[in-house]
Amino acid sequence: MTEKAKKKLDSLFEAFSIIAEGKYVFLTDMRHDYSRWSQKAVDFFDLPSVYMENAGVVWAAHIHPDDRANYEKSIQDIFSGKSSGHDMQYRALAGDGNYVVCTCRGVVISDPEGNPDYFAGAILNHGMLSYIDVVTGLRSLYGFFDDLQALLWRQSDAVIMLTGISAFSSINDLYGYTFGNNVLNSVSTLLQREFANSGAVYRLDGTKFAIISHVLDVDQMRDIYNRIRDRLASHYTVEDEKLSLSINAGILVVDSYDVSTETLSSCLRYAYYESKNKKWGNAVVFSDKISAENQQRIEKLNVIRRSVTDGCTGFFLYYQPIVDAKTEELHCVESLIRWKNNEFGLVPPNDFIPVLEQDILFPELGRWILRRAMEDGKKLLEYYPNLIVNVNISYSQLEVSTFSSEVIQMLDDLQFPPQNLCLEITERCRMLDITMLKNMFRKLQSHGIRIALDDFGTGYSSIGLIRDIPVNTFKIDREYVKNVEQSSADQRTVQFITKLAESFGAEVCVEGVETADMRDFLRQYRISSFQGYLYSKPIPIEDLMAKYCTPDKLKKSHEAPAVS
Ligand code: C2E
Ligand code: CA
Ligand code: CA
């Protein structure tokens, strides 16, 4: 084979491999039966070299014996001129000794006289497919996690960004799914262009993309993001359609390595949702504090995450009483999670719940919380048969399709009366599919379980939620009552929420009642219960029982039959 023929093969191969992104490619000079194969194929299948004579024979040895005859026949037909290409599936032996399923498409390219000149082919490795996103050709979520793991192993610093398009379902609804995919493709191209020399781009789930950069700092990453955001915000054209896309971004600096990839991912998601829900798409950097603090925060979250996988060690529940507004007798208790270990001490929930909620593990912790709250609650029910145990439920628990059946099963297992359980949800569950939510809550309520809407009025969609879901109790957030005695705006807000609750036939609980004056002032409104430091801070179950579960209560509870 001449040098010239080799050079031509090489240059054709380079062009060809660019087109066939995500697949292994080969190109055979049929006159000389001399081939060039992708380096990745050589690595994966442990082939002798990227240049091979008689590659058909070499490759045939890698094909599963049951599929080999088919392959050999097809290659003979191609070389003898009987066929002009093949499209077949077979199993091929990888370097690690396992077979992977491959699809191989090849075509014969003839010279102007019609003689076979080149045989060009692309092999798709289905075993590797999940690492490549089929819509954009980018590395997928799996590839992203692999690369995160690799950078932790190598201990290399990185800045990572998670970005995604808001309200994408309206594009799919309006223009169709195929167009939606074209938009994703176009955004993927834009991202690849903007990060051409500075970062690797990944397509994660849904409309989310990630970028890992080893050269940019946070400010540079943010600058590029802002440029992309401006570009997408107006007159962004895909197939002659002018679109306006809004995007969000969470940014994370990786400068410590003894953490899990899942912890990093949860931190990123947390920052992303802050950007989406609170910052109108401005990039949010996870913990904008100095690096050492950032590092400590991630480490702490990592340890907390591991405690969940360790059977929820280190977690425990405190309980805060909620009293009847008129009689000030115990009406409910709210369970509130805490976590403690020797290194980090007692950690309040606001330090870990918002991030851990983004973690796939959260539902496991959620189950533990529910079970423990019911077990403790049963002890209280001996003294207060009508007492309601309130448990906070994160939207990510509701995402699990079996949530309602699990709760019902747990009530049954523990023999806990459903009418004594109240699930506190927040308006964040509006992010989930509303039909799914409606069905779920209908099912729970048909069993007698109560629903409270927590932090009423703090998000955008509390009102939208109560329209769709019958809520038993509105809990007015502490923010609205902090200055209620002085602030006429707060007074109007409390007035409005209580009226609204009345029209929906719901009770109202006010949180953050700290003083007797505040309680007295609030009594002019239609409020059923009070919760706050005036009565008690959240305390361990033993302390709560010592305070409220006196022997006379036990006697009384046996005299008065429970009402449901
Ligand atoms: P939240 O559900 O709104 O809980 C009420 C928070 O207000 C509690 O904070 C409580 O200690 C505090 N609080 C109660 N009365 C007063 C008062 O009079 N003054 C002041 N300043 N604060 C008062 P905590 O326990 O730190 O919990 C914070 C948040 O963490 C909770 O807010 C809830 O969103 C979340 N959280 C706590 N436990 C759980 C849980 O088991 N599951 C889930 N998903 N979230 C939880
Ligand atoms: Ca709550
Ligand atoms: Ca609340």
Side-chain angles (χ1 to χ4, degrees):
M1 176 146 174
T2 61
E3 273 311 305
K4 199 173 154 209
K6 269 190 186 167
K7 260 207 173 127
K8 189 168 169 204
L9 180 72
D10 276 342
S11 60
L12 281 172
F13 183 85
E14 301 301 343
F16 185 40
S17 31
I18 293 168
I19 304 162
E21 194 185 10
K23 296 181 183 131
Y24 308 127
V25 290
F26 59 84
L27 189 63
T28 305
D29 177 328
M30 291 177 78
R31 280 178 238 275
H32 305 96
D33 197 359
Y34 188 81
S35 304
R36 166 115 191 241
W37 283 56
S38 308
Q39 181 65 50
K40 284 207 169 108
V42 172
D43 295 343
F44 189 82
F45 294 104
D46 202 13
L47 299 171
S49 156
V50 291
Y51 297 103
M52 284 184 278
E53 280 178 52
N54 270 325
V57 177
V58 178
W59 187 231
H62 277 261
I63 292 177
H64 193 282
D66 293 348
D67 305 336
R68 199 175 292 152
N70 252 348
Y71 170 79
E72 285 175 335
K73 176 161 187 315
S74 150
I75 289 293
Q76 265 167 19
D77 287 351
I78 287 166
F79 274 79
S80 65
K82 261 202 218 158
S83 113
S84 61
H86 71 189
D87 184 348
M88 59 191 312
Q89 206 170 70
Y90 47 68
R91 286 159 288 176
L93 187 64
D96 64 5
N98 293 310
Y99 280 97
V100 289
V101 176
C102 296
T103 301
C104 176
R105 286 200 183 124
V107 284
V108 175
I109 305 162
S110 301
D111 67 12
E113 285 77 45
N115 302 314
D117 204 359
Y118 289 96
F119 180 49
I123 298 171
L124 186 62
N125 177 349
H126 293 274
M128 300 274 285
L129 198 59
S130 55
Y131 283 81
I132 304 291
D133 169 54
V134 282
V135 174
T136 58
L138 292 173
R139 270 168 84 64
S140 67
L141 187 70
Y142 300 102
F144 175 67
F145 272 97
D146 262 20
D147 292 355
L148 270 188
Q149 187 62 66
L151 81 85
L152 292 176
W153 276 331
R154 287 200 312 270
Q155 308 212 335
S156 55
D157 287 1
V159 173
I160 308 176
M161 179 163 83
L162 175 64
T163 182
I165 308 164
S166 286
F168 198 75
S169 55
S170 60
I171 291 186
N172 280 334
D173 291 347
L174 212 58
Y175 300 99
Y177 197 67
T178 313
F179 182 81
N181 278 352
N182 292 344
V183 174
L184 288 176
N185 242 316
S186 161
V187 172
S188 131
T189 311
L190 175 66
L191 289 169
Q192 281 175 287
R193 209 167 45 227
E194 287 289 346
F195 290 99
N197 301 313
S198 56
V201 183
Y202 305 80
R203 159 106 192 270
L204 310 187
D205 47 322
T207 65
K208 294 198 191 70
F209 295 88
I211 291 95
I212 299 182
S213 174
H214 297 287
V215 292
L216 299 172
D217 62 23
V218 167
D219 290 335
Q220 291 165 325
M221 184 70 103
R222 202 198 319 253
D223 287 347
I224 300 181
Y225 168 72
N226 287 337
R227 202 160 61 218
I228 296 168
R229 192 174 165 211
D230 288 348
R231 181 94 173 67
L232 295 174
S234 63
H235 300 297
Y236 185 69
T237 312
V238 178
E239 289 182 2
D240 297 334
E241 294 289 346
K242 285 200 169 53
L243 304 172
S244 159
L245 301 175
S246 49
I247 58 171
N248 318 290
I251 297 176
L252 174 72
V253 180
V254 182
D255 50 9
S256 67
Y257 314 101
D258 187 20
V259 294
S260 70
T261 53
E262 285 83 3
T263 303
L264 295 181
S265 162
S266 306
C267 295
L268 260 177
R269 280 179 191 270
Y270 170 74
Y272 176 86
Y273 284 108
E274 287 282 302
S275 158
K276 182 173 172 185
N277 298 326
K278 297 200 180 140
K279 303 286 177 195
W280 297 281
N282 287 324
V284 169
V285 182
F286 180 83
S287 178
D288 248 331
K289 320 239 173 65
I290 45 165
S291 170
E293 262 182 67
N294 179 36
Q295 195 171 320
Q296 218 222 5
R297 183 151 183 226
I298 296 177
E299 269 163 27
K300 188 160 76 186
L301 287 165
N302 201 41
V303 176
I304 294 180
R305 185 176 193 280
R306 267 203 304 258
S307 323
V308 180
T309 51
D310 268 1
C312 301
T313 48
F315 290 98
F316 52 96
L317 296 181
Y318 270 10
Y319 294 88
Q320 188 176 31
I322 299 174
V323 303
D324 182 280
K326 282 199 194 81
T327 63
E328 296 191 310
E329 289 208 11
L330 190 63
H331 177 49
C332 309
V333 292
E334 179 177 358
S335 69
L336 293 154
I337 189 121
R338 300 288 181 267
W339 181 84
K340 190 178 175 181
N341 92 340
N342 291 341
E343 188 184 353
F344 297 104
L346 183 68
V347 181
N350 283 334
D351 275 16
F352 63 87
I353 291 279
V355 177
L356 212 58
E357 266 180 345
Q358 314 290 334
D359 200 300
I360 43 162
L361 274 184
F362 194 83
E364 197 174 319
L365 178 63
R367 281 180 208 111
W368 181 90
I369 294 169
L370 261 168
R371 178 171 289 274
R372 177 51 56 85
M374 286 188 211
E375 283 166 355
D376 286 343
K378 273 186 83 173
K379 296 180 209 156
L380 300 173
L381 290 186
E382 287 182 29
Y383 295 82
Y384 297 88
N386 298 331
L387 184 88
I388 294 163
V389 177
N390 286 22
V391 181
N392 291 288
I393 303 292
S394 157
Y395 73 95
S396 62
Q397 288 171 267
L398 301 174
E399 225 170 3
V400 180
S401 60
T402 52
F403 176 77
S404 50
S405 334
E406 282 179 29
V407 174
I408 292 161
Q409 183 65 50
M410 205 183 279
L411 286 164
D412 198 40
D413 290 349
L414 297 173
Q415 288 293 296
F416 190 92
Q419 66 275 13
N420 294 81
L421 176 67
C422 176
L423 306 179
E424 292 197 7
I425 58 165
T426 66
E427 53 89 33
R428 288 195 74 193
C429 64
R430 227 12 242 252
M431 291 200 281
L432 307 174
D433 180 64
I434 196 70
T435 314
M436 185 274 290
L437 279 182
K438 269 193 212 171
N439 291 337
M440 181 181 281
F441 289 124
R442 203 171 291 147
K443 182 169 166 193
L444 291 166
Q445 284 176 322
S446 74
H447 279 78
I449 298 162
R450 304 169 65 87
I451 307 292
L453 184 54
D454 204 357
D455 306 336
F456 189 90
T458 53
Y460 315 120
S461 45
S462 304
I463 301 227
L465 198 64
I466 52 166
R467 204 191 58 192
D468 290 322
I469 288 163
V471 165
N472 303 93
T473 308
F474 291 11
K475 293 192 76 175
I476 303 186
D477 194 69
R478 197 170 74 85
E479 273 306 301
Y480 293 124
V481 292
K482 248 182 355 201
N483 303 310
V484 73
E485 294 155 83
Q486 301 83 36
S487 154
S488 64
D490 281 3
Q491 291 160 14
R492 283 197 300 272
T493 308
V494 174
Q495 175 80 14
F496 169 72
I497 299 177
T498 51
K499 281 264 183 296
L500 188 69
E502 187 174 8
S503 67
F504 277 88
E507 293 185 357
V508 174
C509 168
V510 173
E511 299 178 331
V513 179
E514 293 189 350
T515 62
D517 286 347
M518 191 192 229
R519 170 202 61 197
D520 294 342
F521 186 86
L522 285 168
R523 278 193 164 143
Q524 61 183 293
Y525 304 103
R526 186 188 162 278
I527 292 166
S528 346
S529 53
F530 292 136
Q531 174 177 8
Y533 293 172
L534 172 64
Y535 301 101
S536 168
K537 290 195 168 180
I539 47 178
I541 185 74
E542 296 76 23
D543 296 4
L544 188 94
M545 290 191 74
K547 188 166 172 182
Y548 289 96
C549 299
T550 46
D552 59 308
K553 286 284 174 208
L554 188 60
K555 195 159 155 271
K556 257 198 200 157
S557 83
H558 288 294
E559 285 161 8
V563 282
S564 59

